[in-house]
Amino acid sequence: MTTYNWDLLERLLHEVQNGASHSFTPRPYAEQYAAAKAAAGEPFENLDHLKTVAEKYEKLLLLRGYIEPRPENQGGNGENYILTPRGSSLLSLIDSSIPGNEHPRQVLDEQEDALEELTFDKVASKAQIA
């Protein structure tokens, strides 16, 4: 069963969502995520491991259609992305600023691989998950 760091994924998706004018750089985002966890007194994984995981998540999100290269007419430079409808759906399910995000994360965790395209689309389409 594949498990995901939903907080780190949320951070990466927010960076994509807000990153129209700058390149997507997952390693520094992992550092910022770890610093925020430390400042809040929360435990986090080894920083080098987090950086590696963030890079893997970038590739996975791109390969599985959660993000795609930002078009040039929207400020794309070949190094930045936009959320696809699937990516927006994922972000809305795991967004920690939305009350009740624990239930969707739990439902996703119960899947063999929650980010496998068909699995995610099926789970996300269920009204009761949100």
Side-chain angles (χ1 to χ4, degrees), residues 56-72:
K56 288 179 181 177
Y57 283 172
E58 175 188 17
K59 291 175 183 147
L60 180 98
L61 292 169
L62 188 58
L63 180 68
R64 294 190 178 177
Y66 292 90
I67 61 175
E68 63 187 17
R70 181 176 294 278
E72 278 187 40

Side-chain angles (χ1 to χ4, degrees), residues 12 16 21 27 49-50 67 73 75 77 86 104 107 113 120:
L12 296 175
V16 168
S21 61
R27 291 178 69 83
H49 176 72
L50 279 174
I67 61 175
N73 65 354
N77 60 14
R86 182 180 288 138
V107 172
D113 182 351
F120 178 80

